[in-house]
Amino acid sequence: MADAALNRAEREELERLRAQAARSGGVGRGARWTGAVVLLVLSAVLALLATVTVFARNEILDTDRFVDNMEPLLDDDDVRAAVAARVSTAVTEALDVEALIAEAIDAVQTRGAPDVLSRLAGPLASGVDSFIDKQVHTVVYSDQFTELWRQANRTAHAALVAILTGEQGRALAVQGQNLVLDLGPVVERVKDRMVDAGFDLAERIPAVSVTFTLATSDAFPKLQVATALLNAAAWALPIAALALLAAGVALAPVRRRGLLLGVVFTAGAMFALWGALVIGRSVYLAALSGSVQSPDAAGAVYDALTRYLLAGAQTLAVLALIVALACWLLGPGRAATGTRSLARGARDALARVLTRAGLTFGPVGGAVQRFRRPVEFLAVIVGLLWIVLWRHPGVSGVVTVAIVVAVFVAFVEVVARVGRGAPEAAPE
């Protein structure tokens, strides 16, 4: 009616202003989405970097977690076999078995033994080698070795920290591009066992340093520089990732959709990290080809060193997908609204059953009805804190927490319905 009272010029001006307003509104909305997507992508990238950095801080610079990381290697037969082979070689070289046999035969021949005795040098040396192998395997596959391995790794961790902070350790050291562990204590234990078994010549074995390569990388020399920033980055990167996620969601014209995009990007980053670890294993073993005695043992070491990083990537990916599912369920789509309608009907039906049974929850039901939204929000926050404070929740832990929170929220909804009076069923 108001438009009818306008003359032609005024009506044209009004249409022009309406078109200009529509265009400016569209441009502004598009710019906001572009900015939001950029922030959300950066947040996902920082989340990936934060996952790696926190892993490095918690698993490499923390003694207990480092020892836990290396614990699975005790149950790996390939690792034990590689250690046994390395220690046997060290003991044999330290004794110089062939020289000892030759010395013994010469001593006997000077006392009149026949020259044919020298033909026994080979079988005698083989017998000594077999005896050494047996004693080494007895130690390596015993509970004594388990304790030696744990102590070696615990001692080595202090040396690792010293290396990363610029000091060279003794139990663990960087030799070129190799991170090596000193197995000298294992050799000492084998020496003691051989002496106890009556092989007194083992007393000649000097204190030796026997290195066992744990990992090889050209990054080791650069780690000392990076360590100075590690502690700060372990705190700064997660905070920055969350800040960018919050900024991206706030900038998005539709915040629910912005959060959905943000967590999907984060899940994608975690899956990318997961894939990189799988590919990195193949690259790592290919780089070691021909330089290690047991590729299977090297693979086991890689798996042990990266297992918590892989678990962290999997955990964050599943958590992001759960949040994405929640965002979708809260959306306007037909499937989402249908799902919410079914859930609402189920809660109403349960509330009617409880009301008819006389279970009204008293004043608690009324309080829950008034404050159900804050209570549900608090439940979500507690669930997130539960996951954060859980040392290694894993995928199963995240799913368990999500189920517990969902069940609690559903229970709050039912109690709130009972508190305000359950709705009557629709007549058939």
Side-chain angles (χ1 to χ4, degrees), residues 69-94:
N69 239 352
M70 305 305 293
E71 191 76 11
L73 296 180
L74 291 170
D75 300 323
D76 192 285
D77 291 336
D78 292 320
V79 172
R80 293 222 184 197
V83 170
R86 185 70 186 88
V87 172
S88 292
T89 300
V91 172
T92 301
E93 291 176 352

Side-chain angles (χ1 to χ4, degrees), residues 17 34 57 63 67 96 125 185 204 258 281 295 329 356 362 379 393 402 418 421:
L17 292 174
T34 300
R57 174 64 184 87
T63 300
V67 174
D96 195 359
R204 299 188 180 186
R281 188 181 193 277
L329 287 173
R356 291 168 184 171
V418 173

